Each structure stands twice: as structure tokens, then as C-alpha cells.
């Protein structure tokens, strides 16, 4: 664990970052913080190194990785072309939680990164330690979220270690991540930009910058084969089965009561404003409804905390699907395997 409290001086050389960068140059995998979640990085051009990411995570090999860059020259080296709308979006949202899928340049990154697709996903993270690591290594870093496949993404170095200790060279500990859910993945390889995965940058914000933006058919829907290969796998799931309850607290409480009457230990995922309204074995509040960003920030940590409580099942409140709420509900539905209970 390389602990770096804060980068206040961009000119200063941090020995922890230099050491982590050396491991990356030697073809090893290193976890690092971004503004969304912790990533597990490797040299995107080194097939053996990229293979170690898939091995450490237990990730299916048909699920491609995002390449993390610190400057636009790195994008030009990886992408065959940067369409004008992608340029506009890079200027507006980078560094930040927006991943752009672009036509890829032949042989610039390992075939394992792109899982054989003709496109490559690229993003510039808005985190000083991530940018410093990319710069110090001199590499473009292929980096999925630094969790075991299927588990909630890590928002602290402790989450990374809980999943990957012993499987990676190390982790840069920069404290908890800010946004808490992953980047928006936007396909810019066709005519109309299309959201493949909702995330930190909302559809509204994208439309403001480039006009028409579409959502991939089946985005967040388990039944349809999605365009972002990663979206088809069960994800973000706590150990206990989770159901989303779309309705008032009284309905959720009724479900809790029925389950407890059947001998189950029951957890409730709620928010600060509603937490006193439930009687259950474990009630965890995840931010406030007045500011859904706080829910996004704490979502994965809250899902992981249920694992420590040993509950048999979890009922979660639903959230309004607007702004960052789209990403929150997308992740919750995946964690719930699509189980939504309505009135
Ligand atoms: O915020 C984030 O994006 C975090 C941090 C670490 O940067 N990374 C992350 O990576 O969430 P990962 O691997 O967990 O998710 C990458 C998503 C997957 O759904 C994958 O299928 C999609 O991006 N993806 C990657 N390359 C793609 C491509 N060429 N075409 C379509 N989808 C792609
Ligand atoms: Mg992931």
C-alpha cells in the first residue's frame, strides 16, 4: 500500500508514485484511485500485463477495458480518428467521468484490452494521483474497476485489498473516491453518440454539449444483449439477494415483516430521511435524497457493508431516474439481478 494524502504540488516528485510506476513499467498490475472508483491498471500495450488484470479480477475475457490517459497525444496514439463531437466532449468533460468509445488504431493497444472489437474506450480521470501515475509511468493504462468480478466496485483502498490482496503488486491509497459510481461510457464511433453505460456525466449534460444523444437499447436491461459487453454480467452484487422496492416505505416495511415472519434476517437500504421509518435487522442509510450525488458516493460502500452484517436478504428503496439517479438505479438493478417489486 502506497499512501499519498494529497498532491498539492504538481512539480514535486512523489516516491510512492515513482515506485508504483516502476511496477507498471515492469508489466505488473497496480490499483489506483480515480474520481469515480479505484481502477486496476496495467500497461495497455503489454498483453501479458493486461492478462494479469483479467486473472486478478476473475474477469471474462470478452469484456473490454477502458484505457486511461493523461493527455490528448495519448488518445491520438490509440484512436484511429477523433470525430469532432468527441473533441468537443473531451474539451468539455475531461479530465472527468466520461469514457469515449472511438475507432481504434491498429496495434496501439493489446488485443486483450479491446476484446477483439474495432473500437477502444478511452478516458482521462479527474484525479491528481491517477494523472501523476500515468505520467510517471509514461504509459496508457488499461484499467477496469479494481474489484473481483461481480462484486461492487471499490471506492476505498480497503475495498481493493478486501478483494485483491495477494493478487496485485500494490494499491495507491488516496482515500475514498469522490463520485462513487463509474464513468459514463459513450460510443462515439457512429453517427449519433450513444450512452452504453450511464455514469458520472449525465445525459442532460452531454446533450447540452453536442445535441442529440441516444441510449443503447437494453441499457441496464438484462434481457437484451447490450453494446457495452460488460453490461451483460451480474454486477455490483452484495452476498445477500437484493430486491428494489418501488413504492412507499410502508410497502417496503410490509415485505420486511413478511420475510422476518418467515425466519429471515433482513436488511434495508435507505436514506437519511427515511432510516427511522423501518424496523428491520439492519438498516443502512446511503446519503440523502435531497442530493443524489451523496447516494452515488456511498452506494458501493453500503452494499459492501451488508456483507459484514450476515443478513439473508436486502430490500432497497428505489431512486428517481434523473440526473445521477439514472446511474444509481442502473447499478442497483444490476446488483438486484433485475428484481424490482412494485405496488
Ligand atoms: O469510472 C470508470 O470507468 C472506472 C475507473 C477505474 O476508470 N472503470 C471502469 O471499468 O468502470 P470497467 O472495466 O469496470 O468497465 C468498463 C466498461 C464495461 O462495461 C465495458 O464493457 C465497456 O466499458 N467497454 C470497454 N471498452 C469498450 C468498447 N470498445 N466498446 C464498448 N464498450 C466498452
Ligand atoms: Mg467494473
Amino acid at each position: 500500500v502506497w499512501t499519498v494524502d494529497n498532491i498539492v504540488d504538481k512539480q514535486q516528485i512523489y516516491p510512492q508514485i515513482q515506485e508504483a510506476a516502476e511496477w507498471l513499467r515492469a508489466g505488473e498490475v497496480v490499483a489506483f484511485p480515480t474520481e469515480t472508483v479505484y481502477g486496476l491498471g496495467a500497461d495497455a500495450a503489454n498483453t501479458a500485463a493486461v492478462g494479469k488484470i483479467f486473472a486478478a479480477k476473475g474477469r471474462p475475457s470478452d469484456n473490454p477495458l477502458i484505457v486511461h490517459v493523461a493527455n490528448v497525444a495519448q488518445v491520438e496514439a490509440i484512436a484511429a480518428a477523433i470525430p469532432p463531437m468527441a473533441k468537443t466532449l473531451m474539451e468539455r468533460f475531461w479530465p472527468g467521468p466520461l469514457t469515449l468509445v472511438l475507432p481504434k488504431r491498429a496495434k496501439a493497444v493489446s488485443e486483450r484490452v479491446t476484446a477483439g472489437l474495432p473500437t477502444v474506450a478511452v478516458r482521462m480521470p479527474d484525479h491528481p494521483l491517477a494523472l501523476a501515475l500515468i505520467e510517471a509511468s509514461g504509459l496508457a493504462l488499461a484499467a477496469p474497476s479494481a474489484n473481483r468480478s461481480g462484486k461492487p466496485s471499490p471506492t476505498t483502498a480497503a475495498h481493493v485489498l478486501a478483494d485483491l490482496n495477494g493478487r496485485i503488486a500494490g494499491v495507491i491509497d488516496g482515500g475514498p473516491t469522490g463520485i462513487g459510481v463509474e464513468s459514463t461510457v459513450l460510443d462515439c464511433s457512429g453517427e449519433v453518440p450513444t450512452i452504453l453505460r450511464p455514469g458520472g456525466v449525465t445525459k442532460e449534460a452531454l446533450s447540452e454539449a453536442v445535441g442529440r444523444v441516444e441510449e443503447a437499447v437494453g441499457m441496464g436491461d438484462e434481457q437484451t444483449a447490450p453494446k457495452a459487453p460488460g453490461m451483460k454480467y451480474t454486477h455490483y452484487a452484495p452476498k445477500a439477494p437484493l430486491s428494489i422496492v418501488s413504492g412507499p416505505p410502508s410497502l417496503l416495511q410490509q415485505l420486511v415483516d413478511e420475510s422476518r415472519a418467515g425466519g429471515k434476517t433482513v436488511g434495508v437500504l435507505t436514506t437519511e430521511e427515511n432510516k427511522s421509518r423501518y424496523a428491520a435487522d439492519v438498516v443502512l442509510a446511503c446519503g440523502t435524497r435531497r442530493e443524489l450525488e451523496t447516494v452515488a458516493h456511498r452506494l458501493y460502500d453500503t452494499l459492501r457493508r451488508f456483507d459484514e452484517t450476515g443478513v439473508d436478504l436486502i430490500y432497497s428503496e428505489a431512486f428517481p431516474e434523473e440526473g445521477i439517479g439514472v446511474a444509481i438505479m442502473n447499478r442497483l438493478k444490476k446488483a438486484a439481478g433485475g428484481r424490482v417489486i412494485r405496488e
Side-chain angles (χ1 to χ4, degrees):
V1 178
W2 297 285
T3 305
V4 190
D5 285 337
N6 218 327
I7 288 208
V8 277
D9 182 0
K10 273 205 98 179
Q11 304 312 313
Q12 200 181 319
I13 290 170
Y14 290 82
Q16 309 95 309
I17 304 270
Q18 295 301 324
E19 196 184 320
E22 270 163 41
W23 283 101
L24 288 168
R25 280 196 300 269
E28 296 300 328
V29 293
V30 167
F32 60 94
T34 78
E35 81 281 31
T36 58
V37 301
Y38 275 72
L40 182 61
D43 177 356
N46 180 334
T47 297
V50 172
K52 290 177 189 173
I53 293 178
F54 286 92
K57 282 184 59 89
R59 180 175 176 114
S61 61
D62 65 348
N63 191 2
L65 308 177
I66 296 170
V67 180
H68 293 64
V69 300
N71 55 64
V72 175
Q74 283 182 305
V75 184
E76 285 163 352
I78 292 166
I82 307 177
M85 67 168 150
K87 278 210 177 98
T88 306
L89 292 166
M90 284 158 58
E91 274 159 27
R92 173 74 181 76
F93 294 105
W94 280 11
L98 177 65
T99 295
L100 303 175
V101 173
L102 302 169
K104 85 172 170 188
R105 191 181 284 281
K107 298 197 172 80
V109 300
S110 164
E111 281 292 323
R112 293 215 65 181
V113 170
T114 51
L117 294 170
T119 53
V120 61
V122 205
R123 95 174 185 98
M124 188 187 292
D126 187 15
H127 195 292
L129 298 181
L131 293 172
L133 181 67
I134 297 166
E135 273 166 12
S137 67
L139 304 168
L141 296 181
S145 49
N147 52 292
R148 283 286 286 175
S149 231
K151 296 261 279 172
S153 295
T155 54
T156 67
H159 295 163
V160 174
L161 291 174
D163 279 14
L164 300 177
N165 200 1
R167 297 172 176 271
I168 60 177
V171 54
I172 298 175
D173 184 353
T177 60
I179 295 172
V181 293
E182 300 86 344
S183 62
T184 303
V185 178
L186 186 72
D187 186 354
C188 293
S189 66
E191 286 283 296
V192 182
T194 304
I195 300 175
L196 305 181
R197 176 180 73 179
V201 176
T202 63
K203 185 183 180 190
E204 295 86 339
L206 293 171
S207 295
E208 225 169 84
V210 291
R212 185 164 153 226
V213 173
E214 293 195 335
E215 281 167 1
V217 179
M219 184 180 80
D221 174 355
E222 299 296 323
Q223 310 316 316
T224 336
K227 270 188 89 187
M231 299 306 282
K232 72 172 178 263
Y233 297 105
T234 306
H235 256 108
Y236 321 113
K239 284 182 195 142
L242 171 82
S243 302
I244 302 168
V245 182
S246 179
S250 56
L251 172 65
L252 198 154
Q253 184 63 51
Q254 188 190 323
L255 292 161
V256 171
D257 292 342
E258 283 166 18
S259 298
R260 291 177 93 193
K264 302 282 191 210
T265 319
V266 181
V268 172
L269 195 164
T270 177
T271 50
E272 290 301 332
E273 33 275 279
N274 287 345
K275 68 179 179 193
S276 61
R277 302 171 75 163
Y278 297 108
D281 298 288
V282 178
V283 178
L284 295 181
C286 176
T288 162
R289 285 176 176 276
R290 285 187 300 276
E291 207 183 333
L292 286 182
E293 284 74 13
T294 62
V295 176
H297 175 69
R298 292 183 53 182
L299 182 65
Y300 290 142
D301 182 63
T302 308
L303 290 176
R304 280 175 180 262
R305 280 201 290 150
F306 276 112
D307 286 350
E308 289 152 28
T309 67
V311 291
D312 296 319
L313 45 97
I314 305 164
Y315 292 107
S316 172
E317 291 182 353
F319 293 91
E321 292 184 66
E322 53 199 44
I324 193 73
V326 177
I328 293 169
M329 281 301 284
N330 172 270
R331 305 309 191 270
L332 263 182
K333 282 181 195 164
K334 294 210 167 288
R339 277 182 303 278
V340 183
I341 300 167
R342 293 173 205 282
E343 267 176 285

